């Protein structure tokens, strides 16, 4: 059931059906809350929906486990920029 929701959410995200993707990914993470791929996809959805603080929270948690993951850090920096936190964005990128 977890994988069904995860893959369905990824497909919906790819089709720019962000609200539906959000529901599927949240359902997946209700089953396996620590799944990094699911968290990453959900953060992308939150970013697209303009829910930047939620995306930041996820990206900060993911950064603890993968502190040098470039894509993660760039996405986190973009969220910081969208919320007017240019200093934090710069720190994430350095």
């Amino acid at each position: 059931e977890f994988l069904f929701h995860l893959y369905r959410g990824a497909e919906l995200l790819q089709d720019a059906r962000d609200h539906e993707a959000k529901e599927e990914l949240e359902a997946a993470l209700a089953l396996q809350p620590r799944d990094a791929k699911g968290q990453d996809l959900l953060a992308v959805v939150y970013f697209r929906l303009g829910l930047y603080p939620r995306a930041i929270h996820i990206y900060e948690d993911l950064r603890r486990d993968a502190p040098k993951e470039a894509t993660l850090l760039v996405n986190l920096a973009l969220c910081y920029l969208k919320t007017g936190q240019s200093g934090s964005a710069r720190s994430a990128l350095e």
Side-chain angles (χ1 to χ4, degrees), residues 38-56:
Q39 289 178 357
D40 184 55
L41 290 171
L42 185 58
V44 171
V45 169
Y46 286 158
F47 181 87
R48 286 187 181 182
L49 294 174
L51 302 172
Y52 306 118
R54 288 186 185 181
I56 288 170

Side-chain angles (χ1 to χ4, degrees), residues 73 76-78 80-81 85-94:
L73 296 173
L76 177 59
L78 288 171
Y80 284 142
L81 286 173
Q85 301 177 66
S86 58
S88 294
R90 182 178 180 180
S91 294
L93 293 174
E94 288 177 341

Side-chain angles (χ1 to χ4, degrees), residues 21-33:
K22 177 182 173 288
E23 297 301 319
E24 289 293 336
L25 294 168
E26 287 175 344
L29 289 171
L31 298 168
Q32 290 190 28

Side-chain angles (χ1 to χ4, degrees):
E1 191 173 348
F2 164 75
L3 289 176
F4 171 80
H5 291 297
L6 181 69
Y7 292 136
R8 181 73 180 133
E11 290 171 357
L12 291 166
L13 182 62
Q14 189 173 17
D15 291 340
R17 295 168 60 186
D18 300 330
H19 290 283
E20 294 167 85
K22 177 182 173 288
E23 297 301 319
E24 289 293 336
L25 294 168
E26 287 175 344
L29 289 171
L31 298 168
Q32 290 190 28
R34 298 296 305 153
D35 183 76
K37 181 64 176 170
Q39 289 178 357
D40 184 55
L41 290 171
L42 185 58
V44 171
V45 169
Y46 286 158
F47 181 87
R48 286 187 181 182
L49 294 174
L51 302 172
Y52 306 118
R54 288 186 185 181
I56 288 170
H57 178 75
I58 292 172
Y59 284 132
E60 286 176 343
D61 283 346
L62 290 171
R63 180 173 63 175
R64 287 185 199 100
D65 294 331
K68 302 224 185 257
E69 178 63 40
T71 303
L72 171 67
L73 296 173
V74 168
N75 289 344
L76 177 59
L78 288 171
C79 290
Y80 284 142
L81 286 173
K82 290 287 191 175
T83 57
Q85 301 177 66
S86 58
S88 294
R90 182 178 180 180
S91 294
L93 293 174
E94 288 177 341

